[in-house]
Amino acid sequence: MGYTFRHTMAKATLHMLHTCPFCWKVRGIIEYLKLDVDYVSVNGLKIKKSVSFAGDWGKVPVFTDENGQHHTDSTPIMKFIDNNYNGGKILSVGEADRTAQWLDWADTKMSKATVPILYGTLGSAFKTTTRISKLEKFGFISKRLYAWAGFPIMWGIIAKKRVKKDGRKPKQLWHDLLTEFTDEHGNEEFFGGSEPNLVDFSVFGYMRSISPFPQFSLLQDHNSGMAWYRRMEKLVA
Ligand SMILES: N[C@@H](CCC(=O)N[C@@H](CS)C(=O)NCC(=O)O)C(=O)O
């Protein structure tokens, strides 16, 4: 008879979807800091149930640290990770007020731009849901249901309204946001200056979430935006 004593300190996990922009914000910072985190893909049609362990937040990403503590909402998770594993160094780059203002800018403006570019026309909505049905974890039936029933819903109900409300073509909206963002860098390489800060990781996450889709090509002719994106990519590689 014997007992095996197991060290119970668990590995940190991130519950996420491959195509969720908020999850990409967190993933960028995890990769940059080279943290050892297990990624857990959830079923996109059962998000609430999959993350019910974290209370009634019901959304991804959910970060669980090695003490079993759950953290929700992407911007607070990014801050927690930086504070807890990196001495708050990324957040301390640059002026606090400017950072807070632009984190907010990303979470309102950038987050609103992803739906129009992915679902703004019936054709692009179809490409998006088909791609998502391949990338994400689904059940046998729900995969097909999502790919075929998801796109008219996303296009007809959600995206059309947003595109109309904004008035700009989805591509133009993205280009305007990238111009506004990179203009703010002045002559520096990043929003944070010579190194990225939390705002860089946030915007990078939103932009990167488009990268698995063919619509990413619409962003690729924005020169300063792409140059910055490639610099960020190098840092997380
Ligand atoms: N403000 C949240 C938004 C998270 C969010 O909306 N995630 C989506 C996936 S992209 C989700 O889980 N939606 C499920 C739901 O709202 O029921 C964040 O930044 O983390």
Side-chain angles (χ1 to χ4, degrees):
M1 216 169 46
Y3 291 95
T4 348
F5 178 77
R6 263 203 233 123
H7 194 57
T8 50
M9 204 73 156
K11 209 162 147 183
T13 55
L14 184 75
H15 282 73
M16 53 123 208
L17 283 166
H18 291 286
T19 50
C20 162
F22 313 104
C23 302
W24 278 110
K25 285 165 63 184
V26 176
R27 290 172 70 177
I29 214 158
I30 288 174
E31 290 168 13
Y32 179 65
L33 298 177
K34 299 194 166 39
L35 301 178
D36 192 13
V37 173
D38 274 340
Y39 291 130
V40 183
S41 312
V42 307
N43 180 328
L45 296 174
K46 295 182 187 157
I47 300 178
K48 271 203 167 53
K49 208 171 132 195
S50 318
V51 297
S52 59
F53 60 84
D56 37 273
W57 173 250
K59 295 177 187 179
V60 286
V62 172
F63 181 75
T64 306
D65 65 31
E66 55 293 321
N67 300 314
Q69 210 90 43
H70 306 302
H71 307 268
T72 57
D73 209 2
S74 56
T75 298
I77 297 174
M78 290 169 80
K79 289 181 183 167
F80 170 80
I81 291 178
D82 182 41
N83 278 323
N84 202 46
Y85 305 99
N86 191 41
K89 277 191 223 125
I90 302 176
L91 195 57
S92 73
V93 174
E95 255 173 72
D97 281 353
R98 174 175 173 260
T99 299
Q101 184 199 329
W102 280 84
L103 279 176
D104 217 49
W105 176 87
D107 285 342
T108 48
K109 302 267 176 88
M110 279 273 164
S111 71
K112 287 210 182 79
T114 62
V115 164
I117 199 134
L118 292 181
Y119 302 98
T121 67
L122 199 53
S124 70
F126 177 67
K127 280 185 209 153
T128 301
T129 52
T130 326
R131 185 96 184 94
I132 287 180
S133 76
K134 288 189 182 121
L135 286 171
E136 303 288 2
K137 194 175 115 187
F138 282 107
F140 180 80
I141 303 286
S142 63
K143 189 189 207 76
R144 283 147 184 84
L145 201 67
Y146 184 81
W148 291 98
F151 76 94
I153 299 177
M154 289 303 293
W155 168 72
I157 299 173
I158 303 164
K160 238 162 79 174
K161 253 191 229 149
R162 286 214 195 160
V163 174
K164 202 172 156 199
K165 199 169 155 206
D166 187 81
R168 280 171 289 184
K169 287 238 156 66
K171 173 177 174 167
Q172 190 59 48
L173 170 60
W174 264 95
H175 277 235
D176 289 351
L177 291 173
L178 286 174
T179 301
E180 196 181 341
F181 178 61
T182 50
D183 277 355
E184 178 65 23
H185 300 187
N187 293 324
E188 302 283 359
E189 303 236 292
F190 301 99
F191 175 92
S194 55
E195 49 185 323
N197 86 349
L198 230 49
V199 177
D200 289 287
F201 285 101
S202 177
V203 175
F204 182 56
Y206 285 114
M207 192 163 167
R208 208 174 172 198
S209 74
I210 314 294
S211 69
F213 300 98
Q215 291 91 325
F216 194 64
S217 66
L218 299 173
L219 312 185
Q220 280 173 319
D221 52 359
H222 190 284
N223 292 335
S224 58
M226 270 323 279
W228 164 83
Y229 183 83
R230 297 294 180 218
R231 286 195 287 277
M232 288 299 290
E233 246 182 357
K234 258 195 213 140
L235 290 177
V236 300

